[in-house]
Amino acid sequence: MSLYDPKKQSEYKFRAIVSAVLFFVIVVALWAKGAKGPAAWELIFFGLTFCAGSFVHALWALGKINSAQHAPK
């Protein structure tokens, strides 16, 4: 079972960009409002973890797709 779909390269690029933008939006929101209270901890734990995980997976999938495309046949 593969953890990525080689046909969805553009989707992985889009996901990496959106994850990075959302990560910075969350950081700015936490900085502007202050990281106090349970809502801030939810943003830190769930929001940033999801963004980071999605970003890393998208980069990993793009790396696998690119290495498969450039592999000698």
Side-chain angles (χ1 to χ4, degrees), residues 4-72:
Y4 67 96
D5 187 357
K7 299 175 203 161
K8 295 185 177 181
Q9 185 174 13
S10 61
E11 181 180 325
Y12 289 123
K13 289 178 185 177
F14 178 74
R15 210 170 96 192
I17 292 168
V18 169
S19 295
V21 169
L22 189 57
F23 184 87
F24 288 113
V25 167
I26 291 171
V27 169
V28 168
L30 288 170
W31 178 74
K33 295 292 183 181
K36 297 177 184 175
W41 288 108
E42 286 179 21
L43 268 178
I44 292 168
F45 184 70
F46 294 114
L48 296 180
T49 303
F50 178 79
C51 289
S54 180
F55 184 76
V56 169
H57 179 263
L59 290 182
W60 173 80
L62 287 170
K64 289 288 190 178
I65 292 168
N66 286 337
S67 67
Q69 288 175 350
H70 297 299

